[in-house]
Amino acid sequence: MEIQYGNPWALNWLWLALACLAMVIVAAVRTRMRLRNFASDNFMPRLLPPRHRLLVITRAMLMLMTFVLLTIALVDIRWGKVWREIPQKGIEVMFVLDVSRSMLAEDVTPNRLGRAKQQINDMLEVMGGDRIGLVVFAGEVRQVVPMTNHYDDFRRSLKEVDTSSIRRGGSRLGDAIRVATNGFLSKTLDHKAMVILTDGEDQESEPVKAAKQAYQDHGIRIFTVGLGNQQQGARIPSGRNADSSYLQYEGEQVWSKLDGKILQAVATETNGAFIPAETKQVDMASVYRQYVAKVDQQQFETAKINQYEARFQWFLGLALLSFLCDVFAGHWMPKPSGDPFHHEGKTR
């Protein structure tokens, strides 16, 4: 039988249960030692009758059982899969990632491409039921991930993307927008967003015109994230391992700068937003909530998910029962006899 653990870290609470049990044992031993200081063995059964000792042990075991059962409930053990229909609601988001050689520039850590992939992953962390897709571009364009709800598959594909994903060098941002536009499933004029992560370099592919057409014909709002130093720029490593040699043209090293004007124009024409990340760390979760998430959502088809059935209620119920037994056992606890020496005096 397959078992899934929702919160395995909760097992650490078992140490608290063992500590409580140890405290109970120590308290019982010290009580017995104190009584022996003024009572002989003949009077001990009167002070601590067998029934009393039995109930002390019983209550200690019930307390331990309560802690253990509560810990198991916190672990959230699940077994037995069931099919459930989950209504899906959200928007369609197409990520457009620049994989041209200029994205290897190291004015951000580890480089522009690495930072862009990190930013996409940061957005995925707060995206719920949105459909997502991935288009990469350089001198040509390729759709890597069609629109999907499978985020794990998307992450795996994103991880494998690098500058070798596109064989032809260059940067055709306008063509990327056109290909990404055709990748949306919804045919309505809303519920669609495009997130472009690039340094803004383009080789006369008319990205502003392509963006305007995408917004007018398909209602796609475009959000652009600009990466790279906008003033000084950075050199482009010539090898995949980013060693000490840099890309040269006609004997001069090539410097790549962020072109924010193109990205600003693309966002403006589509009622989107331009996020000048440049070389800074940007909270992409906040970017998603502030901009992308405000695109009107739509109801997707119901998804049928096969998931493990939670069983924590069983252990929580048993823990409550054990606790109640402990409480009732306290009421049944016999009181120790009165002062045995005073009683002996009355007998004499």
Side-chain angles (χ1 to χ4, degrees):
M1 178 177 63
E2 293 186 7
I3 299 177
Q4 187 180 67
Y5 303 93
N7 304 304
W9 56 266
L11 287 172
N12 293 322
W13 287 103
L14 287 176
W15 292 109
L16 179 61
L18 293 175
C20 290
L21 179 63
M23 291 174 61
V24 170
I25 294 174
V26 170
V29 171
R30 293 185 63 182
T31 299
R32 190 173 184 85
M33 292 176 63
R34 284 198 300 267
L35 289 175
R36 283 187 177 278
N37 290 333
F38 64 88
S40 65
D41 292 340
N42 294 334
F43 292 104
M44 287 298 292
R46 294 187 182 182
L47 294 173
L48 294 174
R51 182 185 172 195
H52 182 276
R53 293 197 297 270
L54 178 61
L55 282 174
V56 168
I57 295 173
T58 301
R59 291 195 66 188
M61 297 307 296
L62 287 171
M63 182 191 69
L64 177 63
M65 187 180 300
T66 299
F67 272 107
V68 171
L69 289 169
L70 284 175
T71 299
I72 295 175
L74 287 172
V75 170
D76 189 14
I77 296 179
R78 307 172 186 180
W79 69 80
K81 287 187 175 181
V82 293
W83 286 97
R84 284 194 174 91
E85 291 188 348
I86 309 267
Q88 300 289 305
K89 186 177 182 180
I91 60 177
E92 292 186 350
V93 181
M94 183 68 77
F95 289 98
V96 179
L97 178 61
D98 187 351
V99 295
S100 61
R101 293 190 64 85
S102 63
M103 292 292 285
L104 293 177
E106 297 172 333
D107 45 4
V108 296
T109 305
N111 53 41
R112 296 175 186 175
L113 181 57
R115 177 67 62 83
K117 292 164 71 171
Q118 173 192 325
Q119 290 173 337
I120 293 175
N121 278 315
D122 290 345
M123 293 185 72
L124 294 181
E125 292 297 325
V126 293
M127 296 174 70
D130 297 337
R131 288 173 176 162
I132 52 177
L134 177 64
V135 167
V136 298
F137 74 97
E140 57 187 16
V141 185
R142 181 164 70 92
Q143 184 167 2
V144 177
V145 182
M147 280 293 170
T148 180
N149 289 319
H150 299 288
Y151 283 38
D152 289 338
D153 293 341
F154 182 95
R155 287 188 179 94
R156 282 191 290 270
S157 298
L158 176 64
K159 184 178 181 180
E160 295 173 358
V161 166
D162 57 24
T163 53
S164 64
S165 299
I166 299 295
R167 296 181 179 179
R168 183 178 177 184
S171 185
R172 305 282 296 178
L173 177 57
D175 293 346
I177 293 175
R178 295 181 187 94
V179 171
T181 297
N182 295 327
F184 288 91
L185 300 179
S186 176
K187 301 306 178 184
T188 61
L189 294 181
D190 46 18
H191 319 305
K192 296 188 286 291
M194 190 182 300
V195 179
I196 302 175
L197 299 99
T198 177
D199 52 25
E201 293 187 356
D202 178 66
Q203 296 176 333
E204 300 180 353
S205 62
E206 299 183 316
V208 177
K209 181 179 178 180
K212 185 176 181 179
Q213 198 73 34
Y215 181 65
Q216 291 178 346
D217 296 348
H218 305 280
I220 300 171
R221 296 177 61 184
I222 300 179
F223 303 89
T224 55
V225 180
L227 296 157
N229 190 298
Q230 196 163 195
Q231 284 76 39
Q232 182 179 352
R235 295 175 295 179
I236 304 172
S238 61
R240 289 188 61 183
N241 295 326
D243 53 21
S244 58
S245 61
Y246 295 93
L247 191 65
Q248 295 187 359
Y249 179 74
E250 295 183 352
E252 298 290 334
Q253 290 183 345
V254 177
W255 287 71
S256 171
K257 297 181 181 180
L258 166 64
D259 188 345
K261 293 182 180 179
I262 291 179
L263 300 181
Q264 177 71 65
V266 166
T268 301
E269 290 290 342
T270 61
N271 193 26
F274 169 51
I275 297 90
E278 299 187 25
T279 60
K280 304 184 296 291
Q281 281 282 4
V282 177
D283 183 358
M284 296 304 292
S286 296
V287 169
Y288 172 79
R289 296 189 187 100
Q290 185 176 353
Y291 299 111
V292 184
K294 292 185 177 180
V295 175
D296 292 337
Q297 296 185 342
Q298 66 173 322
Q299 192 76 36
F300 298 139
E301 68 274 7
T302 300
K304 200 171 183 180
I305 300 177
N306 189 17
Q307 60 183 194
Y308 286 94
E309 183 76 8
R311 308 290 182 177
F312 72 91
Q313 304 93 332
W314 296 9
F315 300 99
L316 188 60
L318 289 173
L320 179 60
L321 179 62
S322 177
F323 174 75
L324 292 175
C325 290
D326 183 24
V327 172
F328 288 130
H331 290 294
W332 296 335
M333 184 80 75
K335 295 183 179 179
S337 301
D339 187 345
F341 301 105
H342 180 69
H343 181 70
E344 183 67 21
K346 289 178 66 177
T347 302
R348 286 199 300 264

